[in-house]
Amino acid sequence: MEEDCKFRHWDELIPDALGLIFSHLPLQEVLTVVPRVCKAWNRTVTGPYFWQEIDIELWSNRYHQSDHLDRMLQMLINRSSGSLRKLSVTGLQNDSIFSFIAQHAGSLKTLKVPRSCLSNSGVVNVAEKLSSLTFLDFSYCCKVGPEAIQAIGKHCQSLIEFSRNMHPLDVASVVSHDNEAYAIASTMPKLKRLEIAYHRVSTEGVLKILSSCIFLEFLELRVCWDVQLDNKFFKEKFPDIKVLGPRVIGFYDMINDWEDCCSDYFSDGSDYLAWEFLEDGQMGEFCEDEFEHGWDDNFYADRVNIDMEPHIWPPSP
């Protein structure tokens, strides 16, 4: 008996501790397995604390149907109950879901939405609601331009990290990104880290950023071929800034980088897709029902709520 008292049952751990443990599990298990183990675990993964940080970037990067991605985000963000601090997702397909995110961004500090089909007007209309952001990733968002960037800079006065990398295929027909560089320079003076790889930005545009963003510590200019500045210049004029680029990769490195980027565009799936609830028959009756009910929180509550008969719940490990 004394030996048993030395150990604490899993269902007696405080929600904070359980949340940290469950955060290392795949999204599928968090949503479909953990809630069914016991009442304490169900309360943890359906409560707001667990969803203060939402990272579904891997899942969304391999699945691009807009309606299901939107429903997943709506469900998880609603669970956060206004306490959302970090969101990582890729491939948003419309401005409406971005507006939904902004409506619940009162506590949001980090927002990563690369490869999203967002428009300038969609970003401008909700930029004011993103004022608490300190980190923003708009990489590979081809429809976003200087108007959106200027609106973000105007309203997000605490922004210190901005990622705006592009894919080489996306910039093939672009003449210049200098307008974006000027928007960054004029509205984001507190930046400490800036990434604009593969941008068609000129030497003048980069110099404008360097003179305006006086707190800058890291600047990525990888493959910005129009920038005629070498390492000697940066070391002499801006010794406190770590600069990556514009000419820092060899031929084979560039080929590998190209393959990595293209794999994100043309990936035909992996083992990670095996569990997806969107494919018929993959997850059995439980997840087929989930899909039919649109991943609704009420449906989850019906299936794993604490009102279930006690004998249904297996003993905690």
Side-chain angles (χ1 to χ4, degrees), residues 272-291:
Y272 193 84
L273 290 175
W275 69 273
E276 285 200 18
F277 65 93
L278 304 164
E279 298 183 8
D280 294 337
Q282 290 290 332
M283 285 296 295
E285 180 180 356
F286 181 76
C287 282
E288 287 175 1
D289 288 343
E290 300 281 15
F291 169 63

Side-chain angles (χ1 to χ4, degrees), residues 160-172:
I160 59 175
E161 297 186 47
F162 184 46
S163 182
R164 183 73 176 117
N165 300 314
M166 298 299 288
H167 189 280
L169 294 178
D170 297 331
V171 300

Side-chain angles (χ1 to χ4, degrees), residues 19-206:
L20 289 175
I21 296 170
F22 296 153
S23 66
H24 296 282
L25 295 176
L27 179 65
Q28 174 243 343
E29 294 188 13
V30 170
L31 294 178
T32 63
V33 177
V34 173
R36 307 179 71 192
V37 174
C38 67
K39 301 173 186 178
W41 289 20
N42 175 47
R43 287 192 295 267
T44 296
V45 297
T46 55
Y49 171 81
F50 187 77
W51 302 105
Q52 288 181 354
E53 296 188 4
I54 299 175
D55 186 349
I56 58 172
E57 190 167 357
L58 284 176
W59 177 79
S60 58
N61 192 42
R62 291 166 171 81
Y63 188 78
H64 301 290
Q65 290 194 20
S66 175
D67 54 343
H68 291 98
L69 177 57
D70 291 358
R71 282 191 291 168
M72 177 69 83
L73 280 171
Q74 289 166 357
M75 182 187 75
L76 299 183
I77 291 174
N78 282 331
R79 285 189 179 186
S80 71
S81 301
S83 62
L84 183 64
R85 296 182 305 187
K86 179 180 179 180
L87 175 62
S88 299
V89 58
T90 186
L92 301 181
Q93 296 298 309
N94 53 75
D95 289 331
S96 61
I97 188 61
F98 187 72
S99 177
F100 177 83
I101 293 171
Q103 295 290 341
H104 297 77
S107 302
L108 191 61
K109 300 296 184 182
T110 298
L111 179 60
K112 298 180 180 180
V113 287
R115 298 180 180 85
S116 295
C117 295
L118 306 177
S119 67
N120 277 319
S121 59
V123 175
V124 170
N125 291 338
V126 300
E128 186 176 2
K129 296 181 174 64
L130 300 170
S131 58
S132 62
L133 285 183
T134 60
F135 179 97
L136 176 62
D137 188 349
F138 267 173
S139 295
Y140 320 113
C141 296
C142 303
K143 297 181 180 180
V144 170
E147 297 87 353
I149 292 174
Q150 189 168 17
I152 289 292
K154 176 182 177 181
H155 295 288
C156 303
Q157 294 295 311
S158 300
L159 196 67
I160 59 175
E161 297 186 47
F162 184 46
S163 182
R164 183 73 176 117
N165 300 314
M166 298 299 288
H167 189 280
L169 294 178
D170 297 331
V171 300
S173 60
V174 175
V175 176
S176 173
H177 282 118
D178 275 351
N179 286 342
E180 289 194 15
Y182 298 147
I184 293 171
S186 62
T187 63
M188 302 180 181
K190 297 181 181 179
L191 282 183
K192 293 183 178 181
R193 183 182 181 93
L194 175 63
E195 300 178 12
I196 52 174
Y198 286 95
H199 264 50
R200 299 297 301 272
V201 63
S202 68
T203 302
E204 182 182 355
V206 171

Side-chain angles (χ1 to χ4, degrees), residues 238-298:
F238 302 95
D240 296 329
I241 301 178
K242 181 179 180 181
V243 180
L244 180 61
R247 294 168 178 79
V248 296
I249 60 176
F251 175 78
Y252 292 105
D253 293 324
M254 185 167 62
I255 293 299
N256 290 333
D257 184 69
W258 180 278
E259 290 177 350
D260 290 340
C261 291
C262 288
S263 67
D264 292 334
Y265 272 67
F266 306 113
S267 174
D268 58 355
S270 66
D271 292 341
Y272 193 84
L273 290 175
W275 69 273
E276 285 200 18
F277 65 93
L278 304 164
E279 298 183 8
D280 294 337
Q282 290 290 332
M283 285 296 295
E285 180 180 356
F286 181 76
C287 282
E288 287 175 1
D289 288 343
E290 300 281 15
F291 169 63
E292 292 174 1
H293 289 76
W295 293 86
D296 184 76
D297 260 339
N298 294 328

